[in-house]
């Protein structure tokens, strides 16, 4: 009897194991098959598959399909498998956890799930420096010559401070202050060029029941803050601050930045923090369209985002760089850009690099530009029209471009510089934190991150 | 003897698939959470560094974690007490009293439970809106229309209670139906004889209804803890994103932020372990203190 029982148990176990084993085996089998066929055909007909994963943004998913179709046409024997989703992290995440990586990923830093940052922090990217010297397919210039200078010298594209580029810049957008140009015409107000003029305008607006300032969420202060750092202290101070230099937050320029933002907090529409989250931020943007607040920090995407929103009569989008800290001082507009990158374990890294080089071709750029996605390619801004022409010409009109972000560190548990710097601005407005507490928080986070710098 | 063994074998075969699935999908992942909490890991590499209990010691030194702990406990306490009291009240009113439109009310109370959290938070975001929201418009009737708006989701002192309000509204129907089901089982004769002996409604409620649905109440207490921890994450994600400035950060939203946004997967799992132990312990304590002699009718 014992025998039968033990037999039964073994049978049950093998059965169940076989059940599990089968499925995984079949998966690996099919994977093997597909890679086999891939290899075979690579030898015979040279068919290769490139796996592209991209975040579906306001520009839509179709534009990627169009570009990949054009790439396939230009490269016979290459098939591009696209995964485009609004929650791309959730779609490709589980696969990557088990070792199945897309060959190329278009996903910017600054997303709530921080997937790109995680790859950067874990040194999990393929070096793309050689893409810069590749010739753009079908053209005679190299990628580097085609790009607007500066875009591949930032802490975002070269995260490890070693002169190597790991993330390539894609769609960019100047950021700055958006306002209702129609309202300024009606009232006869001038757009302020210095912060002193800004405060004077704020008092004038207050007398008429308008707030000077509103912001969608505190996260939108990133571009604002980076531009301001550049205005008060120049590029060197910006680098020091974003690399958490010791004592940098107690220096005179930093204090000036904190004073400016604290003062701005007193001029901010009081209801803003109540809607400053990812579900209600449009209500804060609506304040500008309804003439309840004058300025908001934003990027060019806001025009599309609010295109269906009701607006005050005579509304016209206006866009300006940050006011200068003193008469005749530099004015900056932070350049936000998305990134495309190749995971370290991508199977077809070479093909991925070819694809990225192709993305900077005139053909691809024209496809992207149709939906308003503008790449940092020289002379691209002269081909624009409408609102975009106004926005992208900001740098031709005297504003300087600021790029980069807080430097990459190894992950430090429980410490987030963006929470300390940006999220706390909500508290400045509600009065839950004083300027001193805010600066102390930033200093503490900065000290913790300095030790973990890459 | 033989039939006994045959029976055992039969039971074994019947249970094996379920037990196996249970182990694979519940026990193994839980153990994995515990294991991962001892590593420093970003989530997508093969490099995992064993750090022992470092994640936990960092956790206990973190002000942010204490803030999320405080928020979560506050929500558990407030939501449980208020939902519990109101659900009991409505349940006994609907079963014991002769109200017009009883069935209609039952449906109305239950509706929030079938709505998705996203819909509920959209409704409440509209209610809490500082300028055009229902709540402020109502208040302005008494405070005058020039009054400063109350920032239900913007004032750090109020926002957690606004969140609790939405959660209570959502949960009442479910618990009410649970209580109603067991109240309906109490024999009418008990109330009749109590009434004859001169017991008023309140006495009947506390002396008959409550003791006789006690087992049900104990079960729901455990539900309260688990569902508040889980639901608070959904409400926070859809209503405030943890803001303003972390004022509504709860256990799971903090875990999510650390594990993903801050690329500290191991640290996130350490938070998961604490939440697991905490909810287990709390449920255990509640179960122990509410232990009563089992009454039957």
């Amino acid at each position: 009897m014992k025998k039968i029982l033990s037999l039964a148990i073994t049978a049950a176990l093998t059965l169940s194991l076989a059940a599990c084993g089968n499925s995984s085996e079949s998966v690996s089998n099919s994977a093997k098959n597909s890679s086999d066929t891939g290899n075979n055909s690579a030898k015979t007909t040279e068919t290769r598959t490139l796996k592209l994963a991209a975040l579906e943004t306001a520009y839509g998913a179709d534009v990627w399909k169009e570009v990949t179709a054009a790439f396939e046409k230009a490269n016979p024997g290459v098939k591009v498998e696209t995964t485009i989703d609004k929650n791309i992290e959730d779609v490709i995440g589980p696969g990557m956890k088990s070792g199945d990586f897309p060959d190329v990923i278009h996903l910017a830093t600054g997303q709530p799930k921080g997937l790109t940052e995680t790859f950067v922090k874990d040194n999990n990217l393929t070096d793309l420096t050689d893409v810069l010297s590749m010739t753009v397919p079908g053209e005679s210039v190299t990628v580097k010559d085609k790009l607007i200078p500066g875009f591949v010298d930032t802490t975002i594209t070269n995260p490890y401070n070693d002169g190597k580029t790991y993330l390539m810049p894609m769609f960019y957008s100047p950021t700055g202050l958006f306002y209702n140009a129609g309202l300024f015409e009606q009232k006869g107000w001038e757009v302020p060029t210095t912060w002193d003029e800004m405060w004077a305008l704020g008092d004038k607006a207050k007398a008429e029941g308008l707030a000077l300032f509103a912001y969608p969420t505190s996260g939108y202060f990133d571009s604002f803050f980076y531009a301001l750092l550049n205005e008060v202290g120049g590029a060197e101070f910006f680098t020091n601050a974003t690399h958490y230099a010791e004592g940098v937050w107690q220096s005179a320029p930093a204090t000036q930045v904190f004073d400016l933002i604290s003062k701005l907090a007193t001029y901010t529409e009081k209801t803003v923090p109540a809607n400053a989250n990812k579900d209600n931020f449009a209500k804060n943007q609506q304040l500008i369209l309804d003439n309840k607040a004058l300025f908001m920090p934003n990027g060019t995407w806001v025009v599309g985002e609010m295109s269906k929103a009701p607006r005050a009569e005579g509304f016209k989008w206006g866009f300006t760089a940050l006011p200068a800290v003193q008469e005749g001082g530099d004015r900056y507009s932070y350049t936000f850009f998305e990134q495309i990158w190749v995971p370290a374990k991508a199977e077809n890294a070479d093909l991925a690099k070819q694809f990225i080089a192709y993305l900077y071709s005139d053909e691809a750029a024209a496809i992207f530009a149709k939906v308003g996605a503008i790449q940092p390619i020289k002379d691209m801004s002269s081909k624009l029209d409408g609102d975009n022409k106004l926005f992208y010409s900001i740098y031709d009109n005297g504003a300087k471009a600021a790029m980069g972000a807080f430097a990459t560190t190894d992950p430090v548990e429980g410490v987030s510089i963006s929470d300390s710097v940006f999220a706390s601005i909500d508290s400045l407005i509600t009065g839950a934190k004083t300027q001193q507490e805010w600066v102390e928080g930033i200093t503490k986070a900065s000290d913790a991150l300095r030790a973990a710098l890459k | 003897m033989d039939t006994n063994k045959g029976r055992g074998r039969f039971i074994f075969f019947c249970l094996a698939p379920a037990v196996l699935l249970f182990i694979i999908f519940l026990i193994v992942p839980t153990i994995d959470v515990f294991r991962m909490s001892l590593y420093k890991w970003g989530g997508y590499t093969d490099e995992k560094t064993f750090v022992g209990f470092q994640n936990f010691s960092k956790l206990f030194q973190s002000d942010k974690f204490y803030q999320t702990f405080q928020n979560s406990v506050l929500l558990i306490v407030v939501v449980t007490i208020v939902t519990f009291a109101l659900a009991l009240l409505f349940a006994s009113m609907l079963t014991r009293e002769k109200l017009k439109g009883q069935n209609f009310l039952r449906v109305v109370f239950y509706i929030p439970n079938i709505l998705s959290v996203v819909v509920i938070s959209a409704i409440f975001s509209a209610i809490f809106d500082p300028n055009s929201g229902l709540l402020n418009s109502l208040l302005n009737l008494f405070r005058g229309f020039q009054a400063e708006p109350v920032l239900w989701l913007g004032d750090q002192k109020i926002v957690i209670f606004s969140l609790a309000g939405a959660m209570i509204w959502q949960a009442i129907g479910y618990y009410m139906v649970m209580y109603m089901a067991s109240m309906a089982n109490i024999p009418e004769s008990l109330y009749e004889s109590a009434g004859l002996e001169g017991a008023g409604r309140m006495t009947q409620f506390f002396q008959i209804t409550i003791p006789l649905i006690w087992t049900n109440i104990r079960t729901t207490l455990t539900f309260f803890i688990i569902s508040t921890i889980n639901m608070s994450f959904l409400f926070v994600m859809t209503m405030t994103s943890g803001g303003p400035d972390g004022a509504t950060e709860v256990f799971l939203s903090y875990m999510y932020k650390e594990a993903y946004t801050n690329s500290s997967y191991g640290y996130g799992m350490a938070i998961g372990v604490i939440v697991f132990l905490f909810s287990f312990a709390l449920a255990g304590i509640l179960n122990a203190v509410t232990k009563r002699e089992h009454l039957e009718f």
Side-chain angles (χ1 to χ4, degrees):
Chain A
M1 216 63 245
K2 233 182 191 173
K3 251 186 200 162
I4 295 179
L5 192 70
S6 59
L7 212 84
I9 292 174
T10 3
L13 277 173
T14 31
L15 236 161
S16 56
L17 279 178
C20 295
N22 260 346
S23 56
S24 59
E25 219 167 82
S26 63
V27 169
S28 58
N29 263 344
S30 64
K32 229 183 266 164
N33 283 340
S34 65
S35 63
D36 274 354
T37 49
N39 282 340
N40 287 340
S41 47
K43 277 168 210 147
T44 51
T45 61
E46 297 262 327
T47 301
R48 291 203 290 164
T49 306
L50 177 79
K51 284 188 281 177
L52 162 75
L55 176 73
E56 184 183 341
T57 57
Y59 304 131
D62 291 341
V63 67
W64 282 106
K65 290 184 188 135
E66 209 174 314
V67 165
T68 50
F71 180 69
E72 281 172 353
K73 208 173 145 198
N75 296 276
V78 174
K79 209 184 149 307
V80 185
E81 223 178 83
T82 51
T83 314
I84 301 158
D85 202 279
K86 283 179 177 152
N87 296 307
I88 192 72
E89 300 95 332
D90 298 332
V91 178
I92 58 175
M96 292 195 298
K97 281 212 161 75
S98 55
D100 178 22
F101 291 87
D103 296 313
V104 55
I105 299 178
H106 179 263
L107 176 67
T109 51
Q111 295 289 326
K113 288 188 185 97
L115 183 82
T116 305
E117 281 92 336
T118 305
F119 271 77
V120 174
K121 286 174 180 173
D122 286 345
N123 299 327
N124 208 1
L125 303 171
T126 300
D127 182 3
L128 297 180
T129 317
D130 49 343
V131 173
L132 295 175
S133 50
M134 279 166 79
T135 314
V136 177
E139 294 169 28
S140 54
V141 283
T142 61
V143 172
K144 192 174 173 81
D145 290 338
K146 218 160 170 200
L147 286 172
I148 298 176
F151 270 90
V152 284
D153 303 321
T154 67
T155 47
I156 298 174
T157 53
N158 309 354
Y160 308 127
N161 242 337
D162 56 359
K164 287 184 184 156
T165 303
Y166 287 83
L167 299 101
M168 289 295 285
M170 283 295 282
F171 317 129
Y172 81 111
S173 155
T175 64
L177 298 176
F178 282 77
Y179 60 94
N180 176 2
L183 179 72
F184 277 70
E185 277 167 25
Q186 268 171 39
K187 301 265 182 193
W189 289 338
E190 291 275 317
V191 176
T193 54
T194 66
W195 279 103
D196 285 333
E197 286 174 29
M198 188 84 165
W199 307 135
L201 177 66
D203 294 330
K204 242 191 272 177
K206 202 183 248 170
E208 302 201 20
L210 296 176
L212 176 68
F213 192 71
Y215 57 88
T217 74
S218 55
Y220 281 70
F221 268 99
D222 55 358
S223 55
F224 184 93
F225 188 76
Y226 294 140
L228 205 53
L229 286 177
N230 274 294
E231 284 195 355
V232 297
E236 200 189 323
F237 171 69
F238 176 75
T239 310
N240 280 339
T242 50
H243 285 78
Y244 319 109
E246 199 155 359
V248 72
W249 303 115
Q250 275 66 38
S251 64
T255 311
Q256 200 179 357
V257 169
F258 295 136
D259 287 343
L260 272 171
I261 293 180
S262 295
K263 189 163 183 188
L264 191 60
T266 62
Y267 280 96
T268 301
E269 161 68 32
K270 291 284 174 262
T271 58
V272 162
N275 290 323
N277 52 59
K278 69 173 188 308
D279 294 283
N280 294 318
F281 69 94
K283 288 184 188 167
N284 285 338
Q285 296 183 161
Q286 187 66 34
L287 291 171
I288 307 295
L289 283 93
D290 288 344
N291 285 344
K292 286 187 178 144
L294 295 187
F295 292 101
M296 68 170 165
N298 223 314
T300 49
W301 58 84
V302 68
V303 177
E305 209 166 57
M306 302 303 282
S307 62
K308 294 203 176 81
R311 56 202 66 208
E313 234 182 86
F315 183 89
K316 215 165 75 194
W317 282 112
F319 174 53
T320 175
L322 291 200
V325 278
Q326 74 249 341
E327 195 73 48
D330 285 337
R331 300 181 63 188
Y332 274 88
S333 156
Y334 182 78
T335 310
F336 168 86
F337 60 85
E338 297 175 25
Q339 303 94 33
I340 193 162
W341 43 277
V342 179
K345 296 223 188 67
E347 277 178 22
N348 295 309
D350 288 334
L351 192 57
K353 286 176 184 175
Q354 274 178 40
F355 177 68
I356 293 176
Y358 170 77
L359 292 179
Y360 297 102
S361 66
D362 289 341
E363 187 183 38
I367 296 174
F368 285 129
K370 269 196 295 189
V371 292
I374 313 297
Q375 291 161 285
I377 295 173
K378 282 178 192 160
D379 292 331
M380 200 69 206
S381 60
S382 61
K383 295 176 192 157
L384 301 173
D385 48 17
D387 277 340
N388 271 337
K389 195 179 175 90
L390 163 77
F391 299 149
Y392 284 84
S393 64
I394 188 168
Y395 302 119
D396 305 332
N397 299 334
K400 289 190 169 182
M403 273 185 270
F406 278 112
T408 305
T409 63
D410 286 324
V412 178
E413 291 82 1
V415 179
S416 155
I417 191 73
S418 61
D419 272 1
S420 305
V421 180
F422 310 129
S424 295
I425 294 174
D426 279 338
S427 288
L428 286 180
I429 295 178
T430 59
K433 271 185 190 162
T434 62
Q435 185 181 339
Q436 199 194 343
E437 283 167 333
W438 180 39
V439 177
E440 274 166 16
I442 296 172
T443 312
K444 206 172 143 194
S446 181
D447 288 344
L449 290 169
R450 188 180 314 125
L453 262 179
K454 288 271 185 196
Chain B
M1 189 66 193
D2 241 357
T3 47
N4 243 351
K5 273 207 172 151
R7 221 176 112 229
R9 216 179 307 152
F10 177 69
I11 292 173
F12 173 83
F13 277 116
C14 287
L15 286 180
V19 170
L20 212 80
L21 290 177
F22 181 74
I23 290 172
I24 294 173
F25 290 108
L26 238 96
I27 309 278
V28 173
T30 311
I31 294 172
D32 237 27
V33 168
F34 277 80
R35 196 170 56 83
M36 289 318 314
S37 71
L38 305 176
Y39 287 86
K40 188 180 176 86
W41 186 43
Y44 299 103
T45 50
D46 300 333
E47 285 169 42
K48 296 175 198 168
T49 326
F50 184 79
V51 292
F53 286 98
Q54 224 177 65
N55 283 332
F56 290 93
S57 66
K58 275 184 194 155
L59 201 54
F60 290 122
Q61 286 161 17
S62 158
D63 295 341
K64 256 194 223 158
F65 178 63
Y66 286 114
Q67 192 189 6
T68 59
F69 208 113
Q70 223 174 350
N71 287 340
S72 297
V73 172
L74 184 73
L75 277 180
I76 291 174
V77 172
V78 172
V79 172
T80 303
I81 292 178
V82 179
T83 315
F84 176 68
L86 289 178
L88 263 183
L89 181 77
F90 292 148
S92 75
M93 270 164 64
L94 286 180
T95 42
R96 300 292 318 144
E97 308 297 322
K98 301 251 165 334
L99 295 174
K100 259 195 190 150
Q102 241 169 0
N103 281 327
F104 173 71
L105 284 175
R106 211 185 289 202
V107 172
V108 167
F109 276 118
Y110 198 72
I111 281 178
N113 213 268
I114 39 178
L115 292 180
S116 111
V117 176
V118 180
V119 176
I120 296 174
S121 52
I123 294 173
F124 273 86
S125 290
I127 291 175
F128 290 142
D129 188 275
N131 295 316
S132 55
L134 183 75
L135 212 50
N136 271 351
S137 308
L138 213 65
L139 274 180
N140 283 354
L141 288 179
F142 307 103
R143 301 164 70 226
F145 286 91
Q146 294 308 312
E148 280 274 306
V150 180
L151 305 182
W152 297 103
L153 294 177
D155 187 330
Q156 272 123 323
K157 293 187 200 82
I158 303 176
V159 60
I160 193 88
F161 295 102
S162 309
L163 215 60
M167 290 179 68
I168 291 164
W169 183 82
Q170 188 265 350
I172 282 180
Y174 176 71
Y175 292 101
M176 189 190 77
V177 169
M178 298 252 297
Y179 295 140
M180 278 170 73
S182 56
M183 280 179 193
N185 282 333
I186 302 174
E188 192 58 32
S189 57
L190 287 177
Y191 292 103
E192 276 169 15
S193 65
L196 287 177
E197 285 169 31
R201 285 212 170 104
M202 288 299 268
T203 326
Q204 285 182 12
F205 179 72
F206 284 107
Q207 302 291 332
I208 299 173
T209 312
I210 297 277
L212 286 177
I213 62 163
W214 193 253
T215 29
N216 191 336
I217 289 178
R218 284 182 65 195
T219 320
T220 55
L221 283 179
T222 314
F223 280 17
F224 273 122
I225 298 168
I226 300 168
S227 72
T228 310
I229 290 178
N230 282 329
M231 296 303 273
S232 62
F233 172 67
L234 299 178
F235 276 95
V236 164
M237 283 323 235
T238 47
M239 275 173 84
T240 65
S241 324
D245 196 12
T248 50
E249 209 75 81
V250 290
F251 277 147
L252 298 188
S253 66
Y254 185 56
M255 168 173 149
Y256 181 91
K257 243 189 188 164
E258 283 299 326
Y260 295 102
T261 316
N262 206 22
S263 320
S264 310
Y265 202 80
Y267 187 67
M269 292 306 107
I271 301 170
V273 168
I274 301 281
V275 175
F276 182 89
L277 296 177
F278 172 77
S279 46
F280 236 77
L282 194 63
I285 292 169
L286 270 178
N287 241 317
V289 288
T290 53
K291 205 169 173 115
R292 300 277 186 284
E293 200 184 324
H294 186 56
L295 295 175
E296 283 186 37
F297 32 81

